[in-house]
């Protein structure tokens, strides 16, 4: 079977020779793909031309990565077709796509770290002599290739000893050496230094000029205008828009990515959030100058008791990193965090918990539930020492605690002893909220609290957030859903590229303002002074109080 | 691999998930059923099986395995493994004749402390340094066996009356060794059920990242667990030496890590951590003991017994994996 498809692949490569610059080299027509009832792709049309750099954009769940996996043979589409050089192809596994000339470069390089650069470039196709690898010829060809790409790397060096950026250059060189017609780069720049990014772009442009079609995915918006020729926007598994990059404004791109106008959302009342509940008083949480290597570049944040502060930002803007660093789960390089006026030790989860900070993390499965433990044990997990005397757990106290929270949050389980993995996503989320409320926090950080839960549970969680704020809890709410932020938060702090781009009052918010801030628009200066980032007004407010 | 087989596997797997409940039941209770059936079969098929002498011998032989297996169950509950237990037994036993001058109690304490220290090293390697449990304890297994040989040298006999009576004496007909194993079982059961540490242990084994984010002292839990395992292994080693009235550092406790892991696994504790089954582990140890004994009663050679044991382990692990796969898909 393998033999067979390789032969077919080889034939396909032969046929491709005819594709000229500007002709479509890789296309999808009405491609659909679902995973157990979830429609990840709903009939997506996409066209990559030879000699262009095409970017795919979309927020989480837009279908970007699913589409890439269909293009590279990782997934087989449920419906629709993939065309390569005008002919319908059926990739059954990644090797099939590679055989016809589609190379993929991931964020994590999938080469062999212990082999030399040259070996990696020619892996599986090493020049041979008397049945053995002809090392001299191989190194020579590798050197020529590197020179051609303008990359200065010792080809005999062990790959694993090079920086990540250099490793990606090697991956690109490999893509070139196999005469790829298509190179797909999935977030190649997210862990690169600026200089490395420049080299990568230079090489990518070189490939484009030779007629290779490149797909480029990055959550750094600036890079798209710098590098790409055309853009295709996906949203909720559907194709939304394709346009030359030069005709697209940042605002346009972001609003098409997010899909809805903020005005529209406000009018709808799509969430369970009530009116605003701002309270004056000493700030419950003050974060200043928070820095995390490569992620956050000085984030300031102030939350008062009874206030819900929304944290907005596109993928990679540093939203989750901010709350994780506040919670001590991510090592902060510098910065100061105070809770209720007391300084919190950074980089320590237990220190943060003891100071009254709780974090409901974004990834419920990996970072939240302990699947094989009961609902009861999951709720009591963070307060076990408090429920114990002399190292012995008091069952009665846990029962009382669990009972209170199961009633209060209306957790639906057959009994407190049911394993938490048997619960629905919404109820699992409520179990986790109960776990954190049991710690009696003063600051509650919620990272996408309603993602992946059903509509009913979503409304309940939103109602609960309101209730908690009314009771005086300081809440930080991260959400990718604009309506949730605009309706749920009293104030929205917009992050862009690891810093605070703007701070907006959600009662008096215009769509263009929010979108501009999300897009990291640097033309803010042209707007009236009152709309400039308002860190300053916030500080004055704080001083008044 | 052709795609035909790949799709077939997926289909099979989803079919199997339909019977998941049954597999789960077998995994949890299979060991008790098997033990019951084997006991029953022996009552009818083996001459003189139902005699105090026979039962007593079985229990005396299984007691050290139970003690080691309980420690192993805790370690496996944290998603770890401890291969050093056999060597720790030998080390503790080797120290006994050397320090018997301090009296039996003194010698025993020294042996136990040595076990705890080895456990501490394993725990620090795993919990603090971050070495994989199998690697850390494999290294210790070899190193500690060497240390035991170094200290112990050749076989030494143990004549100290206190130790001899610990190994061979009894209370109202029940050998001390069995009493100690029962007390340890009860203690470990209570720790797992009722203590803060026990609750934290299963959470650490069930989802380490979530446990860390919930502020649990993950390192302390891991270190404690390996210390307990080392301590229990040392205890078993001392009891074994006391019973045989000799300590042989090259032989004592050999392959004990395998017996202990076997008992835990066929007792229904998943190797993926997050659960500790005390009763299952005890039943698992009893089952393996009884299988060996049954084959010996009927004059079937030892080598056959080993093969039978191997088959049982493979079946037990298969049952667990079947469930694991079903859960993932």
């Amino acid at each position: 079977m393998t033999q067979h498809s390789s032969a077919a692949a080889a034939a396909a490569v032969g046929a491709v020779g005819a594709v000229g610059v500007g002709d479509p080299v890789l296309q999808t027509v009405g491609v659909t793909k679902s995973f157990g009832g979830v429609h990840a792709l709903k009939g997506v049309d996409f066209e990559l031309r030879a000699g262009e750099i095409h970017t795919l954009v979309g927020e989480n769940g837009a279908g970007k990565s699913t589409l890439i996996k269909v293009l590279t043979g990782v997934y087989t589409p449920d419906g629709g077709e993939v065309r390569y050089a005008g002919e319908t192809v059926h990739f059954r596994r990644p090797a099939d796509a590679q055989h016809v000339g589609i190379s993929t470069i991931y964020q994590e390089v999938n080469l062999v770290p212990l082999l030399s650069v040259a070996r990696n470039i020619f892996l599986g196709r090493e020049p041979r002599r008397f049945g053995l690898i002809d090392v001299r010829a191989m190194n020579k060809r590798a050197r020529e290739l590197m020179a051609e790409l303008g990359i200065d790397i010792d080809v005999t060096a062990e790959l694993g000893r090079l920086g990540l950026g250099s490793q990606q250059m090697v991956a690109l060189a490999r893509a070139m050496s196999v005469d790829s017609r298509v190179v797909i780069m999935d977030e190649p720049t997210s862990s690169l230094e600026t200089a490395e990014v420049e080299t990568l772009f230079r090489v990518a442009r070189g490939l484009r000029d030779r007629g290779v079609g490149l797909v480029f995915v990055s959550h750094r918006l600036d890079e798209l205008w710098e590098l790409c020729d055309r853009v295709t926007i996906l949203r909720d598994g559907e194709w939304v828009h394709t346009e030359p990059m030069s005709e697209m404004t940042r605002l346009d791109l972001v609003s098409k990515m997010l899909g809805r106008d903020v005005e529209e959302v406000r009018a709808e009342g799509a969430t369970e959030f009530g009116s605003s509940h701002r309270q004056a008083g000493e700030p419950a949480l003050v974060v200043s100058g928070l820095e995390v290597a490569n992620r956050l570049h000085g984030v300031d944040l102030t939350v008062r008791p009874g206030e819900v502060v929304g944290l907005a930002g596109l993928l990679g803007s540093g939203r989750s990193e901010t709350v994780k660093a506040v919670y001590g789960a991510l090592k902060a390089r510098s910065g100061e965090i105070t809770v209720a006026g007391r300084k919190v030790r950074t980089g320590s989860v237990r220190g943060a918990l003891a100071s009254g900070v709780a974090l409901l993390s974004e990834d419920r499965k990996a970072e939240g539930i302990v699947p094989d433990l009961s609902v009861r044990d999951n709720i009591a997990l963070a307060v076990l020492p408090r429920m114990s005397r002399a190292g012995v757990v008091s069952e009665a106290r846990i029962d009382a605690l669990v009972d209170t929270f199961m009633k209060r949050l209306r957790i639906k389980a057959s009994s407190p002893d049911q394993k938490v993995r048997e619960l629905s996503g919404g109820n699992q989320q409520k179990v986790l909220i109960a776990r954190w409320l049991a710690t009696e926090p003063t600051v509650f950080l919620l990272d996408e609290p309603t993602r992946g839960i059903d509509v009913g549970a979503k409304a309940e969680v939103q109602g609960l957030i309101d209730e908690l704020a009314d009771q005086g809890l300081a809440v930080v709410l991260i959400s990718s859903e604009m309506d949730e932020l605009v309706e749920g938060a009293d104030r929205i702090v917009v992050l862009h590229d690891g810093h605070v781009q703007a701070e907006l009052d959600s009662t008096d918010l215009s769509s263009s303002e929010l979108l501009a801030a999300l897009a990291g628009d640097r033309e803010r200066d042209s707007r009236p002074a009152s709309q400039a980032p308002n860190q300053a007004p916030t500080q004055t407010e704080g001083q008044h109080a | 691999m052709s795609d035909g087989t790949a799709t077939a596997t997926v289909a099979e797997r989803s079919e199997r998930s339909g019977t998941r409940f049954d597999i789960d039941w077998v995994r949890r209770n299979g060991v008790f059923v098997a033990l019951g059936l084997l006991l029953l079969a022996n009552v009818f098929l083996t001459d003189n099986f139902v005699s105090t002498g026979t039962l007593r011998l079985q229990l005396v032989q299984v007691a050290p395995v139970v003690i080691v297996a309980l420690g192993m169950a805790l370690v496996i509950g944290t998603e770890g493994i401890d291969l050093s237990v056999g060597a720790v037994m030998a080390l503790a036993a080797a120290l006994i004749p050397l320090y018997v001058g301090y009296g039996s109690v003194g010698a025993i304490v020294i042996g136990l402390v040595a076990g705890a220290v080895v456990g501490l090293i394993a725990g620090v390697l795993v919990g603090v340094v971050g070495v994989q449990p199998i690697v850390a304890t494999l290294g210790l297994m070899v190193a500690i066996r060497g240390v035991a040989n170094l200290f112990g040298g050749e076989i030494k006999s143990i004549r100290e009356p206190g130790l001899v009576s610990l190994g061979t004496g009894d209370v109202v007909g029940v050998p001390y060794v069995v009493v100690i194993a029962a007390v340890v079982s009860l203690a470990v059961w209570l720790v797992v059920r009722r203590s803060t540490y026990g609750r934290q242990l299963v959470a650490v084994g069930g989802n380490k990242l979530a446990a860390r984010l919930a502020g649990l002292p993950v390192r302390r839990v891991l270190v404690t667990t390996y210390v307990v395992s080392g301590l229990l292994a040392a205890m078993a080693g001392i009891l074994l030496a006391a019973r045989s009235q000799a300590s042989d550092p090259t032989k004592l406790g050999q392959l004990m890590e395998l017996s202990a892991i076997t008992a835990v696994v066929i007792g229904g504790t998943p190797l993926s951590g997050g659960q500790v089954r005390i009763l299952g582990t005890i039943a698992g140890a009893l089952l393996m003991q009884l299988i060996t004994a049954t084959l010996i009663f009927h004059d079937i050679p030892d080598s056959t017994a080993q093969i039978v044991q191997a088959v049982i382990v493979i079946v037990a692990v298969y049952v667990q994996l079947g469930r694991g796969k079903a859960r993932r898909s």
Side-chain angles (χ1 to χ4, degrees), chain A residues 184-217:
Chain A
I184 295 173
M185 297 191 277
D186 192 359
E187 299 213 9
T189 57
S190 56
S191 40
L192 297 192
E193 304 292 331
T194 319
E196 295 175 323
V197 171
E198 274 164 23
T199 316
L200 182 79
F201 284 5
R202 201 181 65 235
V203 174
R205 288 190 195 103
L207 286 172
R208 171 186 63 190
D209 296 343
R210 295 159 168 233
V212 174
L214 293 98
V215 177
F216 178 77
V217 175

Coordinates of all heavy atoms in Angstrom, one line a residue, chain A residues 184-217:
Chain A
I184 N 4.3 25.1 4.2 CA 3.3 25.6 5.2 C 4.0 25.9 6.5 O 4.7 25.0 7.1 CB 2.2 24.5 5.4 CG1 1.4 24.4 4.1 CG2 1.3 24.9 6.5 CD1 0.4 23.3 4.1
M185 N 3.9 27.1 7.0 CA 4.6 27.5 8.2 C 3.6 27.8 9.3 O 2.9 28.8 9.2 CB 5.5 28.7 7.9 CG 6.6 28.4 6.9 SD 7.9 29.6 6.8 CE 7.1 30.8 5.7
D186 N 3.5 27.0 10.3 CA 2.5 27.1 11.3 C 3.2 27.8 12.5 O 3.9 27.2 13.3 CB 1.9 25.8 11.7 CG 0.7 25.9 12.6 OD1 0.3 27.0 12.9 OD2 0.1 24.9 12.9
E187 N 2.9 29.1 12.7 CA 3.5 29.8 13.8 C 5.0 29.6 14.0 O 5.5 29.3 15.0 CB 2.8 29.5 15.1 CG 1.3 29.8 15.1 CD 0.8 30.2 16.4 OE1 1.6 30.5 17.4 OE2 -0.4 30.4 16.6
P188 N 5.7 29.9 12.9 CA 7.2 29.6 13.0 C 7.9 30.6 13.8 O 9.0 30.4 14.3 CB 7.6 29.7 11.5 CG 6.7 30.6 10.9 CD 5.3 30.4 11.6
T189 N 7.3 31.8 14.0 CA 8.0 32.9 14.6 C 7.8 33.1 16.1 O 8.4 33.9 16.7 CB 7.6 34.3 13.9 OG1 6.2 34.4 14.1 CG2 8.0 34.3 12.5
S190 N 6.9 32.3 16.6 CA 6.4 32.6 18.0 C 7.5 32.4 19.0 O 7.4 33.0 20.1 CB 5.2 31.7 18.4 OG 5.6 30.3 18.2
S191 N 8.6 31.6 18.7 CA 9.6 31.6 19.7 C 11.0 32.1 19.2 O 12.0 31.7 19.7 CB 9.8 30.1 20.3 OG 9.6 29.2 19.2
L192 N 10.9 32.9 18.2 CA 12.2 33.4 17.6 C 12.5 34.8 18.0 O 11.6 35.6 18.3 CB 12.0 33.4 16.0 CG 11.8 32.1 15.3 CD1 12.0 32.2 13.8 CD2 12.7 31.0 15.9
E193 N 13.8 35.1 18.0 CA 14.2 36.4 18.3 C 14.1 37.3 17.0 O 14.0 36.7 15.9 CB 15.7 36.4 18.7 CG 16.1 35.6 19.8 CD 15.5 36.1 21.1 OE1 15.3 37.3 21.2 OE2 15.2 35.3 22.0
T194 N 14.1 38.6 17.2 CA 13.8 39.5 16.0 C 14.8 39.2 14.8 O 14.3 39.1 13.7 CB 14.0 41.0 16.4 OG1 13.5 41.1 17.7 CG2 13.3 41.9 15.5
A195 N 16.1 39.0 15.1 CA 17.0 38.8 14.0 C 16.7 37.5 13.3 O 16.8 37.4 12.1 CB 18.4 38.8 14.5
E196 N 16.3 36.5 14.1 CA 16.0 35.2 13.4 C 14.8 35.3 12.6 O 14.7 34.7 11.5 CB 15.8 34.2 14.6 CG 17.0 33.9 15.4 CD 16.7 32.9 16.5 OE1 15.6 33.0 17.1 OE2 17.6 32.1 16.8
V197 N 13.8 36.1 13.0 CA 12.6 36.3 12.3 C 12.9 37.0 10.9 O 12.4 36.6 9.9 CB 11.6 37.2 13.0 CG1 10.4 37.6 12.1 CG2 11.1 36.5 14.3
E198 N 13.8 37.9 11.0 CA 14.2 38.6 9.7 C 14.8 37.6 8.7 O 14.5 37.6 7.5 CB 15.2 39.7 10.0 CG 14.5 41.0 10.3 CD 15.4 42.0 11.0 OE1 16.6 41.9 10.8 OE2 14.9 42.9 11.7
T199 N 15.7 36.8 9.2 CA 16.3 35.8 8.3 C 15.3 34.9 7.7 O 15.2 34.6 6.5 CB 17.4 35.0 9.0 OG1 18.2 35.8 9.8 CG2 18.2 34.2 8.1
L200 N 14.4 34.4 8.6 CA 13.3 33.5 8.2 C 12.5 34.2 7.1 O 12.2 33.6 6.1 CB 12.4 33.2 9.4 CG 11.3 32.2 9.1 CD1 11.8 30.8 9.0 CD2 10.2 32.3 10.1
F201 N 12.2 35.5 7.3 CA 11.4 36.2 6.2 C 12.1 36.3 4.9 O 11.6 36.2 3.9 CB 11.0 37.6 6.8 CG 9.9 37.6 7.8 CD1 9.4 36.4 8.2 CD2 9.3 38.7 8.2 CE1 8.3 36.3 9.2 CE2 8.3 38.7 9.1 CZ 7.8 37.5 9.6
R202 N 13.4 36.5 5.1 CA 14.2 36.7 3.8 C 14.2 35.4 3.0 O 14.0 35.3 1.8 CB 15.7 37.0 4.2 CG 16.4 37.7 3.1 CD 17.8 38.0 3.4 NE 18.6 36.8 3.7 CZ 19.3 36.6 4.8 NH1 19.3 37.5 5.8 NH2 19.9 35.5 5.0
V203 N 14.4 34.3 3.8 CA 14.4 33.0 3.1 C 13.0 32.7 2.5 O 12.9 32.2 1.4 CB 14.8 31.9 4.1 CG1 14.6 30.5 3.5 CG2 16.2 32.1 4.6
A204 N 11.9 33.0 3.3 CA 10.6 32.8 2.8 C 10.3 33.6 1.5 O 9.8 33.1 0.5 CB 9.6 33.2 3.9
R205 N 10.8 34.8 1.5 CA 10.6 35.6 0.3 C 11.4 35.0 -0.9 O 10.9 35.0 -2.0 CB 11.1 37.1 0.5 CG 10.1 37.9 1.4 CD 10.4 39.3 1.4 NE 9.8 40.0 2.5 CZ 10.3 40.3 3.7 NH1 11.6 40.2 3.8 NH2 9.6 40.9 4.6
G206 N 12.6 34.5 -0.6 CA 13.4 33.9 -1.6 C 12.6 32.7 -2.3 O 12.6 32.5 -3.5
L207 N 12.0 31.9 -1.4 CA 11.2 30.8 -1.9 C 10.1 31.2 -2.8 O 9.8 30.7 -3.8 CB 10.7 30.0 -0.7 CG 11.7 29.1 0.1 CD1 11.1 28.5 1.3 CD2 12.3 28.0 -0.8
R208 N 9.4 32.3 -2.3 CA 8.3 32.8 -3.1 C 8.7 33.2 -4.5 O 8.1 32.9 -5.5 CB 7.7 34.0 -2.4 CG 6.6 34.7 -3.2 CD 6.1 36.0 -2.6 NE 7.2 37.0 -2.4 CZ 7.1 38.1 -1.7 NH1 6.0 38.4 -1.0 NH2 8.2 38.9 -1.6
D209 N 9.9 33.9 -4.5 CA 10.3 34.4 -5.8 C 10.7 33.3 -6.8 O 10.8 33.5 -8.0 CB 11.5 35.3 -5.6 CG 11.1 36.6 -4.8 OD1 9.9 36.8 -4.8 OD2 12.0 37.3 -4.3
R210 N 11.0 32.1 -6.2 CA 11.2 30.9 -7.1 C 9.9 30.2 -7.5 O 10.0 29.1 -8.0 CB 12.1 29.9 -6.4 CG 13.4 30.3 -6.0 CD 13.8 29.4 -4.9 NE 15.3 29.6 -4.7 CZ 16.1 28.6 -4.7 NH1 15.7 27.4 -4.9 NH2 17.4 28.8 -4.5
G211 N 8.8 30.8 -7.0 CA 7.5 30.2 -7.5 C 6.9 29.2 -6.5 O 6.0 28.5 -6.8
V212 N 7.5 29.1 -5.3 CA 6.9 28.3 -4.2 C 5.7 29.0 -3.6 O 5.7 30.2 -3.5 CB 7.9 28.0 -3.1 CG1 7.3 27.2 -2.0 CG2 9.1 27.2 -3.7
G213 N 4.7 28.2 -3.3 CA 3.5 28.8 -2.6 C 3.7 28.6 -1.1 O 4.0 27.5 -0.7
L214 N 3.6 29.7 -0.3 CA 3.8 29.5 1.1 C 2.5 29.9 1.9 O 1.9 30.9 1.6 CB 4.9 30.4 1.6 CG 6.3 30.1 1.1 CD1 6.7 31.0 -0.1 CD2 7.3 30.3 2.2
V215 N 2.2 29.1 2.9 CA 1.1 29.4 3.8 C 1.8 29.8 5.1 O 2.7 29.1 5.6 CB 0.2 28.2 4.0 CG1 -0.9 28.6 5.1 CG2 -0.5 27.8 2.7
F216 N 1.4 30.9 5.6 CA 2.1 31.5 6.8 C 1.0 31.8 7.9 O 0.0 32.4 7.6 CB 2.8 32.7 6.4 CG 3.5 33.4 7.6 CD1 4.7 32.9 8.0 CD2 3.0 34.5 8.2 CE1 5.4 33.5 9.1 CE2 3.7 35.2 9.2 CZ 4.9 34.7 9.7
V217 N 1.2 31.2 9.1 CA 0.3 31.4 10.2 C 1.1 32.1 11.3 O 2.2 31.6 11.7 CB -0.3 30.1 10.7 CG1 -1.2 30.4 11.9 CG2 -1.2 29.5 9.6

